[in-house]
Amino acid sequence: MNPRSILRRRRSLLLSAAGAAVVLAASVAVAGTAEAASTLGASAAQSGRYFGAAIAAGKLGDSTYTGILTREFNAVTPENEMKWDATEPSQGRFTYTNGDRILNQGLSNGSKVRGHALLWHAQQPSWAQSLSGSALRSAAINHVTQVATHYKGKIYAWDVVNEAFADGGGGGRRDSNLQRTGNDWIEAAFRAAHTADPNAKLCYNDYNTDGVNAKSTGVYTMVRDFKSRGVPIDCVGFQSHLGTGIPGDYQANLQRFADLGVDVQITELDVAQGGNQASIYSSVTRACMAVTRCTGITVWGIRDSDSWRTGENPLLFDNSGNKKAAYTSVLNALNAGGPTVPPTSGPTSPPTSSPTTPPSAGACSASVTLNSWSGGYTATVKVTAGSAAVNGWAVTVNLPAGGAVTNAWNATSTGTSGTVGFANVSYNGQIPAGGSTEFGFQGTGSGPSATPTCRAS
Ligand code: 9MR
């Protein structure tokens, strides 16, 4: 959908919800403490949070722009430079020049870098737009793997998948070429990203999910399912492109996601200029500050003239780079403080240390569930311990001729075709008596038809 019409729809939703919205405080508490910091980033950092901006590589030569950037912000997001059309303009040819400029700008300023976005229905290169089925699935997973590998160890959080849920009341997925490759495309993307960069936080990011509504509940249900099945998701991004209102349950919505065990982040904040702009900015900031797992806020641009919302003046600095009232309201809300983000809420990649004293060995069994499409599949393998605890396991799968394993998660693999071996990784080798764990792999051709064998150690 055209971003303008998305925004129009978004705004009408907000307006229609205005009657139910909380009454916003007309004035903002000023911290007035010795700790009050004078820039957004420094102020956010006092509670372990970041305050970031989406930036454009083409503007880094503008000294007013970079002056505000380096003074105020301690996180950056590339507005367009890490999207699929920018990073893989023709299939298999990767271009990172502008993405790297954003990365280096951020890192050299001591900032966190949010990667945006590995897979999205929009801003796909034309070659990907014309693919479908297994060719698109493979290309998409390869894209995730290549880009996340290029930036491995440098990205604080990746928007692995952007805007995959539909608007309207259903709470279901948006139709797209990616969605038509199978409902599991999102988890396949998260698994590939986790394999490529185990230390980046992996986020799902969307708009119109800023309050409790059918769309955000659809995302919530997906995240809950991912957490229950061990799909590596660490965070959810709430874009928060707001009009003249804010959902009354904005903070409660953040909190319900945080309660699932993921971080939450405000990822693309901008607010239409009007009487309420400063107080809406303040409300968003206070909501994040009140949620322990809300790790940071990003505004979608620096000056009003940098915004994608031409003419709406939705940002914190005016066209000349002067601070607006909204800036002051955000700074005050940050300086008012909130629960500190625990340092332990870093990437939730599983521990890598191995047990030193292995428990005694026992038998195991394995079963496979396939999700197939024409020319490919993903397999989920359940490994179940027998009557004794298992300290390590090896599963053997026989693949039909012509197919190959392209990607595996939660296991190491040996071989890609014919008889393929999978073994536990450090964090899932130990299975209690009668317990089970899961690993998965993706392949071309048809999936295995016979029950895999399992050997315990
Ligand atoms: O701000 C981005 C603008 O420069 C691009 O033209 C546009 C293309 O779709 O994408 C804008 O950023 C979007 C972001 O990547 C995802 N959420 C919505 C943002 C505003 O459209």
Side-chain angles (χ1 to χ4, degrees):
M1 186 191 293
N2 162 325
R4 291 283 146 203
S5 53
I6 290 172
L7 194 63
R8 271 195 298 277
R9 180 180 299 192
R10 179 179 303 137
R11 191 170 304 124
S12 68
L13 286 172
L14 286 169
L15 285 170
S16 64
V22 287
V23 177
L24 299 168
S27 63
V28 178
V30 178
T33 65
E35 298 90 35
S38 60
T39 67
L40 301 169
S43 182
Q46 290 181 317
S47 63
R49 292 177 174 80
Y50 64 85
F51 202 96
I55 59 170
K59 293 179 178 166
L60 294 177
D62 174 338
S63 60
T64 305
Y65 183 83
T66 51
I68 301 171
L69 172 62
T70 55
R71 185 187 76 220
E72 295 287 345
F73 296 98
N74 62 352
V76 295
T77 303
E79 188 172 356
N80 291 298
E81 291 79 349
M82 290 188 193
K83 291 173 180 174
W84 199 349
D85 59 351
T87 50
E88 196 181 0
S90 57
Q91 188 164 13
R93 186 173 66 81
F94 291 85
T95 54
Y96 295 114
T97 312
N98 284 328
D100 288 355
R101 290 174 71 196
I102 304 281
L103 179 87
N104 293 330
Q105 167 71 40
L107 295 182
S108 66
N109 198 36
S111 296
K112 287 183 160 69
V113 181
R114 292 194 84 264
H116 174 82
L118 291 171
L119 292 180
W120 187 21
H121 66 274
Q123 282 181 279
Q124 293 182 4
S126 54
W127 63 266
Q129 291 175 36
S130 66
L131 293 182
S132 61
S134 60
L136 176 61
R137 173 68 73 100
S138 299
I141 296 300
N142 183 56
H143 179 76
V144 170
T145 299
Q146 296 295 328
V147 177
T149 299
H150 176 80
Y151 289 111
K152 180 179 180 177
K154 297 176 177 146
I155 298 290
Y156 162 69
W158 265 114
D159 290 332
V160 178
V161 169
N162 192 40
E163 302 179 3
F165 278 72
D167 292 305
R173 298 282 182 87
R174 170 195 298 278
D175 178 52
S176 71
N177 59 348
L178 290 164
Q179 182 62 29
R180 290 191 290 272
T181 70
N183 207 49
D184 63 339
W185 73 277
I186 297 182
E187 62 189 87
F190 274 83
R191 287 180 161 126
H194 179 67
T195 302
D197 188 355
N199 289 321
K201 292 189 185 223
L202 304 181
C203 302
Y204 175 79
N205 189 52
D206 215 327
Y207 67 88
N208 266 355
T209 51
D210 308 310
V212 176
N213 57 37
K215 185 174 177 180
S216 65
T217 299
V219 177
Y220 178 86
T221 303
M222 178 187 76
V223 174
R224 188 175 57 189
D225 170 54
F226 280 12
K227 294 298 285 184
S228 76
R229 291 189 296 112
V231 178
I233 185 167
D234 304 298
C235 40
V236 176
F238 299 84
Q239 294 185 8
S240 301
H241 294 293
L242 298 176
T244 53
I246 176 173
D249 48 17
Y250 187 94
Q251 181 181 323
N253 190 48
L254 296 181
Q255 188 65 58
R256 72 170 175 154
F257 279 87
D259 290 345
L260 290 175
V262 289
D263 288 348
V264 294
Q265 300 166 0
I266 313 306
T267 50
E268 303 184 16
L269 180 61
D270 49 20
V271 181
Q273 180 148 295
N276 291 331
Q277 186 181 51
S279 67
I280 291 173
Y281 264 110
S282 174
S283 296
V284 169
T285 308
R286 285 184 285 122
C288 179
M289 293 296 287
V291 174
T292 305
R293 292 198 73 153
C294 184
T295 60
I297 299 173
T298 298
V299 287
W300 205 243
I302 295 180
R303 300 162 301 196
D304 285 334
S305 50
D306 301 316
S307 173
W308 68 297
R309 294 168 67 173
T310 308
E312 294 192 77
N313 299 322
L315 294 172
L316 300 178
F317 296 87
D318 70 16
N319 295 352
S320 306
N322 300 310
K323 297 169 183 173
K324 295 165 57 179
Y327 170 95
T328 308
S329 76
V330 169
L331 184 66
N332 289 342
L334 293 171
N335 275 328
T340 300
V341 175
T344 48
S345 71
T348 56
S349 38
T352 51
S353 59
S354 308
T356 46
T357 318
S360 57
C364 61
S365 60
S367 60
V368 63
T369 307
L370 292 177
N371 185 336
S372 302
W373 59 89
S374 171
Y377 62 91
T378 55
T380 303
V381 183
K382 185 173 185 181
V383 181
T384 305
S387 55
V390 160
N391 184 48
W393 46 264
V395 169
T396 304
V397 173
N398 285 311
L399 297 184
V405 171
T406 55
N407 182 36
W409 48 93
N410 296 338
T412 58
S413 59
T414 310
T416 55
S417 58
T419 302
V420 180
F422 298 91
N424 64 276
V425 285
S426 57
Y427 56 85
N428 63 6
Q430 290 187 320
I431 310 174
S436 62
T437 189
E438 285 187 347
F439 72 94
F441 61 94
Q442 183 171 351
T444 58
S446 304
S449 52
T451 303
T453 58
C454 187
R455 187 167 47 79
S457 56

mmCIF file of all heavy atoms in Angstrom, residues 19-50:
data_model
loop_
_atom_site.group_PDB
_atom_site.id
_atom_site.type_symbol
_atom_site.label_atom_id
_atom_site.label_comp_id
_atom_site.label_asym_id
_atom_site.label_seq_id
_atom_site.Cartn_x
_atom_site.Cartn_y
_atom_site.Cartn_z
ATOM 1 N N GLY A 19 -11.971 9.364 21.456
ATOM 2 C CA GLY A 19 -12.870 9.469 22.588
ATOM 3 C C GLY A 19 -12.449 8.577 23.741
ATOM 4 O O GLY A 19 -12.666 8.901 24.907
ATOM 5 N N ALA A 20 -11.829 7.436 23.375
ATOM 6 C CA ALA A 20 -11.428 6.496 24.421
ATOM 7 C C ALA A 20 -10.030 6.780 24.937
ATOM 8 O O ALA A 20 -9.576 6.142 25.870
ATOM 9 C CB ALA A 20 -11.497 5.075 23.866
ATOM 10 N N ALA A 21 -9.382 7.728 24.325
ATOM 11 C CA ALA A 21 -7.981 7.958 24.698
ATOM 12 C C ALA A 21 -7.886 8.551 26.098
ATOM 13 O O ALA A 21 -8.783 9.241 26.561
ATOM 14 C CB ALA A 21 -7.323 8.902 23.697
ATOM 15 N N VAL A 22 -6.766 8.266 26.740
ATOM 16 C CA VAL A 22 -6.561 8.860 28.057
ATOM 17 C C VAL A 22 -6.438 10.362 27.922
ATOM 18 O O VAL A 22 -6.045 10.873 26.879
ATOM 19 C CB VAL A 22 -5.265 8.346 28.726
ATOM 20 C CG1 VAL A 22 -5.430 6.920 29.184
ATOM 21 C CG2 VAL A 22 -4.082 8.519 27.829
ATOM 22 N N VAL A 23 -6.774 11.055 28.972
ATOM 23 C CA VAL A 23 -6.574 12.497 28.980
ATOM 24 C C VAL A 23 -5.089 12.738 29.192
ATOM 25 O O VAL A 23 -4.487 12.192 30.124
ATOM 26 C CB VAL A 23 -7.397 13.144 30.109
ATOM 27 C CG1 VAL A 23 -7.131 14.636 30.159
ATOM 28 C CG2 VAL A 23 -8.870 12.854 29.906
ATOM 29 N N LEU A 24 -4.524 13.467 28.292
ATOM 30 C CA LEU A 24 -3.078 13.674 28.361
ATOM 31 C C LEU A 24 -2.768 14.858 29.255
ATOM 32 O O LEU A 24 -3.464 15.869 29.222
ATOM 33 C CB LEU A 24 -2.539 13.930 26.957
ATOM 34 C CG LEU A 24 -2.775 12.766 25.998
ATOM 35 C CD1 LEU A 24 -2.480 13.205 24.571
ATOM 36 C CD2 LEU A 24 -1.904 11.589 26.382
ATOM 37 N N ALA A 25 -1.742 14.693 30.040
ATOM 38 C CA ALA A 25 -1.343 15.801 30.906
ATOM 39 C C ALA A 25 -0.968 16.997 30.054
ATOM 40 O O ALA A 25 -0.279 16.865 29.044
ATOM 41 C CB ALA A 25 -0.159 15.374 31.767
ATOM 42 N N ALA A 26 -1.440 18.158 30.433
ATOM 43 C CA ALA A 26 -1.178 19.342 29.630
ATOM 44 C C ALA A 26 0.233 19.861 29.835
ATOM 45 O O ALA A 26 0.808 20.489 28.983
ATOM 46 C CB ALA A 26 -2.179 20.428 29.967
ATOM 47 N N SER A 27 0.784 19.589 30.981
ATOM 48 C CA SER A 27 2.142 20.051 31.210
ATOM 49 C C SER A 27 3.015 18.853 31.542
ATOM 50 O O SER A 27 2.533 17.795 31.872
ATOM 51 C CB SER A 27 2.176 21.052 32.359
ATOM 52 O OG SER A 27 1.757 20.401 33.533
ATOM 53 N N VAL A 28 4.263 19.053 31.438
ATOM 54 C CA VAL A 28 5.204 17.956 31.590
ATOM 55 C C VAL A 28 6.068 18.212 32.809
ATOM 56 O O VAL A 28 6.551 19.311 33.010
ATOM 57 C CB VAL A 28 6.088 17.875 30.325
ATOM 58 C CG1 VAL A 28 7.115 16.767 30.462
ATOM 59 C CG2 VAL A 28 5.229 17.669 29.099
ATOM 60 N N ALA A 29 6.220 17.169 33.599
ATOM 61 C CA ALA A 29 7.066 17.333 34.782
ATOM 62 C C ALA A 29 8.507 17.543 34.371
ATOM 63 O O ALA A 29 9.010 16.875 33.478
ATOM 64 C CB ALA A 29 6.961 16.090 35.657
ATOM 65 N N VAL A 30 9.147 18.466 34.974
ATOM 66 C CA VAL A 30 10.563 18.700 34.716
ATOM 67 C C VAL A 30 11.351 18.045 35.841
ATOM 68 O O VAL A 30 11.000 18.172 37.015
ATOM 69 C CB VAL A 30 10.870 20.209 34.658
ATOM 70 C CG1 VAL A 30 12.347 20.457 34.428
ATOM 71 C CG2 VAL A 30 10.039 20.864 33.558
ATOM 72 N N ALA A 31 12.350 17.299 35.463
ATOM 73 C CA ALA A 31 13.047 16.509 36.466
ATOM 74 C C ALA A 31 13.688 17.388 37.542
ATOM 75 O O ALA A 31 13.476 17.178 38.719
ATOM 76 C CB ALA A 31 14.115 15.650 35.799
ATOM 77 N N GLY A 32 14.434 18.359 37.099
ATOM 78 C CA GLY A 32 15.041 19.262 38.053
ATOM 79 C C GLY A 32 16.023 18.588 39.002
ATOM 80 O O GLY A 32 16.275 19.073 40.097
ATOM 81 N N THR A 33 16.542 17.458 38.602
ATOM 82 C CA THR A 33 17.494 16.771 39.469
ATOM 83 C C THR A 33 18.899 17.033 38.964
ATOM 84 O O THR A 33 19.098 17.469 37.842
ATOM 85 C CB THR A 33 17.257 15.254 39.443
ATOM 86 O OG1 THR A 33 17.551 14.793 38.118
ATOM 87 C CG2 THR A 33 15.835 14.905 39.795
ATOM 88 N N ALA A 34 19.837 16.710 39.833
ATOM 89 C CA ALA A 34 21.230 16.916 39.458
ATOM 90 C C ALA A 34 21.608 16.045 38.270
ATOM 91 O O ALA A 34 22.524 16.360 37.534
ATOM 92 C CB ALA A 34 22.130 16.593 40.647
ATOM 93 N N GLU A 35 20.847 14.930 38.071
ATOM 94 C CA GLU A 35 21.222 14.001 37.009
ATOM 95 C C GLU A 35 20.662 14.399 35.648
ATOM 96 O O GLU A 35 20.952 13.736 34.670
ATOM 97 C CB GLU A 35 20.739 12.586 37.319
ATOM 98 C CG GLU A 35 21.318 11.975 38.585
ATOM 99 C CD GLU A 35 20.448 12.280 39.791
ATOM 100 O OE1 GLU A 35 19.214 12.322 39.620
ATOM 101 O OE2 GLU A 35 20.996 12.501 40.874
ATOM 102 N N ALA A 36 19.787 15.420 35.598
ATOM 103 C CA ALA A 36 19.148 15.734 34.324
ATOM 104 C C ALA A 36 20.205 15.950 33.245
ATOM 105 O O ALA A 36 21.129 16.736 33.413
ATOM 106 C CB ALA A 36 18.281 16.972 34.476
ATOM 107 N N ALA A 37 20.059 15.209 32.161
ATOM 108 C CA ALA A 37 21.007 15.334 31.058
ATOM 109 C C ALA A 37 20.443 16.295 30.028
ATOM 110 O O ALA A 37 19.240 16.563 29.996
ATOM 111 C CB ALA A 37 21.266 13.962 30.443
ATOM 112 N N SER A 38 21.305 16.809 29.174
ATOM 113 C CA SER A 38 20.860 17.870 28.270
ATOM 114 C C SER A 38 20.730 17.420 26.823
ATOM 115 O O SER A 38 20.442 18.231 25.957
ATOM 116 C CB SER A 38 21.834 19.047 28.358
ATOM 117 O OG SER A 38 23.120 18.609 27.982
ATOM 118 N N THR A 39 20.947 16.139 26.550
ATOM 119 C CA THR A 39 20.675 15.647 25.201
ATOM 120 C C THR A 39 19.826 14.390 25.304
ATOM 121 O O THR A 39 19.786 13.718 26.348
ATOM 122 C CB THR A 39 21.968 15.298 24.435
ATOM 123 O OG1 THR A 39 22.596 14.176 25.066
ATOM 124 C CG2 THR A 39 22.926 16.477 24.379
ATOM 125 N N LEU A 40 19.165 14.060 24.203
ATOM 126 C CA LEU A 40 18.234 12.931 24.214
ATOM 127 C C LEU A 40 18.965 11.625 24.517
ATOM 128 O O LEU A 40 18.533 10.829 25.348
ATOM 129 C CB LEU A 40 17.524 12.845 22.856
ATOM 130 C CG LEU A 40 16.726 14.094 22.458
ATOM 131 C CD1 LEU A 40 16.285 14.010 20.993
ATOM 132 C CD2 LEU A 40 15.503 14.270 23.373
ATOM 133 N N GLY A 41 20.081 11.410 23.843
ATOM 134 C CA GLY A 41 20.802 10.153 24.017
ATOM 135 C C GLY A 41 21.342 10.004 25.428
ATOM 136 O O GLY A 41 21.196 8.945 26.060
ATOM 137 N N ALA A 42 21.953 11.065 25.943
ATOM 138 C CA ALA A 42 22.534 10.986 27.289
ATOM 139 C C ALA A 42 21.449 10.792 28.325
ATOM 140 O O ALA A 42 21.626 10.056 29.308
ATOM 141 C CB ALA A 42 23.330 12.262 27.587
ATOM 142 N N SER A 43 20.311 11.422 28.092
ATOM 143 C CA SER A 43 19.216 11.300 29.036
ATOM 144 C C SER A 43 18.644 9.884 29.029
ATOM 145 O O SER A 43 18.395 9.281 30.079
ATOM 146 C CB SER A 43 18.155 12.334 28.665
ATOM 147 O OG SER A 43 17.109 12.289 29.561
ATOM 148 N N ALA A 44 18.453 9.339 27.827
ATOM 149 C CA ALA A 44 17.943 7.960 27.724
ATOM 150 C C ALA A 44 18.933 6.977 28.335
ATOM 151 O O ALA A 44 18.550 5.997 28.979
ATOM 152 C CB ALA A 44 17.670 7.617 26.259
ATOM 153 N N ALA A 45 20.213 7.238 28.141
ATOM 154 C CA ALA A 45 21.249 6.316 28.619
ATOM 155 C C ALA A 45 21.249 6.200 30.134
ATOM 156 O O ALA A 45 21.690 5.190 30.688
ATOM 157 C CB ALA A 45 22.620 6.774 28.126
ATOM 158 N N GLN A 46 20.742 7.206 30.810
ATOM 159 C CA GLN A 46 20.722 7.150 32.286
ATOM 160 C C GLN A 46 19.895 5.990 32.805
ATOM 161 O O GLN A 46 20.115 5.513 33.909
ATOM 162 C CB GLN A 46 20.155 8.467 32.845
ATOM 163 C CG GLN A 46 21.115 9.633 32.648
ATOM 164 C CD GLN A 46 20.547 10.909 33.223
ATOM 165 O OE1 GLN A 46 19.367 11.207 33.061
ATOM 166 N NE2 GLN A 46 21.376 11.666 33.901
ATOM 167 N N SER A 47 18.924 5.544 32.014
ATOM 168 C CA SER A 47 18.133 4.382 32.449
ATOM 169 C C SER A 47 18.447 3.156 31.588
ATOM 170 O O SER A 47 17.652 2.216 31.531
ATOM 171 C CB SER A 47 16.635 4.708 32.388
ATOM 172 O OG SER A 47 16.237 4.970 31.055
ATOM 173 N N GLY A 48 19.590 3.202 30.897
ATOM 174 C CA GLY A 48 19.992 2.047 30.088
ATOM 175 C C GLY A 48 19.295 1.981 28.746
ATOM 176 O O GLY A 48 19.351 0.960 28.065
ATOM 177 N N ARG A 49 18.653 3.073 28.348
ATOM 178 C CA ARG A 49 17.938 3.081 27.067
ATOM 179 C C ARG A 49 18.731 3.870 26.015
ATOM 180 O O ARG A 49 19.704 4.545 26.318
ATOM 181 C CB ARG A 49 16.549 3.703 27.243
ATOM 182 C CG ARG A 49 15.627 2.844 28.095
ATOM 183 C CD ARG A 49 14.269 3.497 28.322
ATOM 184 N NE ARG A 49 13.360 2.591 29.012
ATOM 185 C CZ ARG A 49 13.366 2.363 30.325
ATOM 186 N NH1 ARG A 49 14.214 3.011 31.105
ATOM 187 N NH2 ARG A 49 12.526 1.507 30.865
ATOM 188 N N TYR A 50 18.247 3.762 24.777
ATOM 189 C CA TYR A 50 18.841 4.580 23.721
ATOM 190 C C TYR A 50 17.771 5.514 23.177
ATOM 191 O O TYR A 50 16.561 5.270 23.324
ATOM 192 C CB TYR A 50 19.418 3.699 22.592
ATOM 193 C CG TYR A 50 18.385 2.897 21.861
ATOM 194 C CD1 TYR A 50 17.663 3.456 20.804
ATOM 195 C CD2 TYR A 50 18.090 1.585 22.232
ATOM 196 C CE1 TYR A 50 16.696 2.736 20.138
ATOM 197 C CE2 TYR A 50 17.118 0.856 21.573
ATOM 198 C CZ TYR A 50 16.419 1.436 20.527
ATOM 199 O OH TYR A 50 15.446 0.721 19.870
#
